[in-house]
Amino acid sequence: MIIEHALAESLRKSSQPISLLVIGAGGNGSAVFLHLPYLHQALRVWGHAGLSVTLADGDMVSETNCVRQPFASSDIGLNKAIVLVNRVNLFWGLTWQAFPHHFRKDSLKDHTAQPQLVISCVDTRAARETIAHVLTRSGSHITYWLDLGNNAASGQFVLGQPANGRNRRIGSRLRTVVELYPEIAAPQIGEDPLPSCSAAEALERQEPYINHVLATSALAMLARLFRYGAIAHHGAFYNAATGRMSTIPVDPGLWKTIRRRSRRLLQSAKKRAA
């Protein structure tokens, strides 16, 4: 039997644009952000008010970023979020916002500034831990959290509903990436190697187009949720070596199995790191 998740009532054809925060303007974040105007346009055609987007990143463009991220040599030394927001606003005639700082635990302390949807594209466990803490505290009213992550030749995206003041703790609530795979937000087990300062090594550590596959696939899932009001999967894993994409179905029974397995893996990783 196919189980579907129904779009949250607060996001169904509101007269106000859907407020969205993208955290990270690197490989995945820039790919997501540059494709969001197409979702904005589609939403308006489908009777929604479109999107109101903020892009957050405190990093500056480096020479290495110009290899596989959408930055030019003239952007080097400028803030990533500001560069991309200016580019999108000029091209599409939008008024989206840049937040040229790293996301921290107090970034959303003002309830009135909280977005309805957060898309995180970060590359450390510590950063995901911070995001999970902010989105799940009692004062948070964020409806959805879409997380994207990848390594050299594979990656994943997971849409969840953080357990907070907005989302009730019921069996059908979409589990977030850190609930299903807690090791992804456990800095105590160590971090993966950070991006290299060498262009050649950067390409060795991460193949081209991984970010674009994840970004377009994740946004295609969101588009179906907004257009049809329901989805039967809330994430997927992609492997560039095999060309296969395995979806994560909306299935509470499967979530329990994944969480049991992930907890065992996390305990093993903690013992190795100790």
Side-chain angles (χ1 to χ4, degrees):
M1 181 181 67
I2 297 177
I3 305 173
E4 291 189 327
H5 166 75
L7 178 65
E9 184 66 34
S10 60
L11 297 179
R12 295 182 186 176
K13 295 190 177 180
S14 168
S15 59
Q16 297 298 318
I18 297 167
S19 56
L20 193 160
L21 170 65
V22 180
I23 303 174
N28 284 326
S30 61
V32 166
F33 184 74
L34 292 180
H35 281 92
L36 281 174
Y38 299 102
L39 179 57
H40 171 75
Q41 301 280 62
L43 286 170
R44 290 170 60 86
V45 170
W46 297 334
H48 296 263
L51 299 173
S52 174
V53 181
T54 298
L55 177 62
D57 198 310
D59 286 344
M60 304 301 173
V61 178
S62 68
E63 184 177 356
T64 307
N65 296 148
C66 301
V67 176
R68 58 176 182 79
Q69 296 179 20
F71 298 107
S73 57
S74 58
D75 298 326
I76 294 174
L78 302 177
N79 175 266
K80 288 183 175 182
I82 292 176
V83 168
L84 293 180
V85 168
N86 285 341
R87 186 179 302 168
V88 163
N89 284 348
L90 285 171
F91 186 87
W92 293 95
L94 298 169
T95 56
W96 292 355
Q97 301 292 315
F99 181 74
H101 307 283
H102 293 299
F103 187 84
R104 305 186 188 284
K105 290 185 177 180
D106 62 350
S107 295
L108 297 179
K109 60 182 178 181
D110 182 1
H111 170 67
T112 61
Q114 288 188 9
Q116 295 165 290
L117 169 63
V118 169
I119 301 180
S120 59
C121 305
V122 296
D123 54 14
T124 67
R125 292 184 172 91
R128 278 196 180 85
E129 182 183 47
T130 297
I131 294 169
H133 171 78
V134 173
L135 271 56
T136 56
R137 60 192 177 193
S138 59
S140 171
H141 285 75
I142 292 163
T143 306
Y144 288 109
W145 174 20
L146 174 60
D147 179 82
L148 289 80
N150 66 279
N151 52 32
S154 62
Q156 77 287 329
F157 58 92
V158 180
L159 177 69
Q161 295 175 288
N164 54 28
R166 169 72 64 184
N167 301 309
R168 292 188 300 153
R169 295 175 179 270
I170 56 178
S172 60
R173 176 181 60 85
L174 291 182
R175 299 307 190 262
T176 65
V177 66
V178 298
E179 290 178 288
L180 296 177
Y181 308 100
E183 68 276 9
I184 208 169
Q188 63 268 34
I189 67 175
E191 297 285 4
D192 294 328
L194 293 175
S196 172
C197 294
S198 160
E201 189 177 351
L203 286 173
E204 185 69 23
R205 289 184 178 179
Q206 187 176 123
E207 295 182 13
Y209 304 111
I210 292 289
N211 306 126
H212 299 277
V213 171
L214 294 175
T216 54
S217 299
L219 293 180
M221 177 187 68
L222 275 186
R224 291 191 61 85
L225 178 60
F226 287 125
R227 182 177 188 182
Y228 300 108
I231 49 174
H233 75 283
H234 67 114
F237 286 85
Y238 172 69
N239 188 319
T242 62
R244 293 179 179 176
M245 182 169 286
S246 303
T247 60
I248 304 172
V250 176
D251 184 345
L254 176 63
W255 296 337
K256 291 181 181 179
T257 300
I258 293 174
R259 293 180 70 181
R260 283 197 299 267
R261 183 175 62 217
S262 295
R263 281 196 291 265
R264 289 196 298 267
L265 292 174
L266 178 58
Q267 291 303 318
S268 298
K270 287 181 177 179
K271 289 180 182 178
R272 291 195 299 270

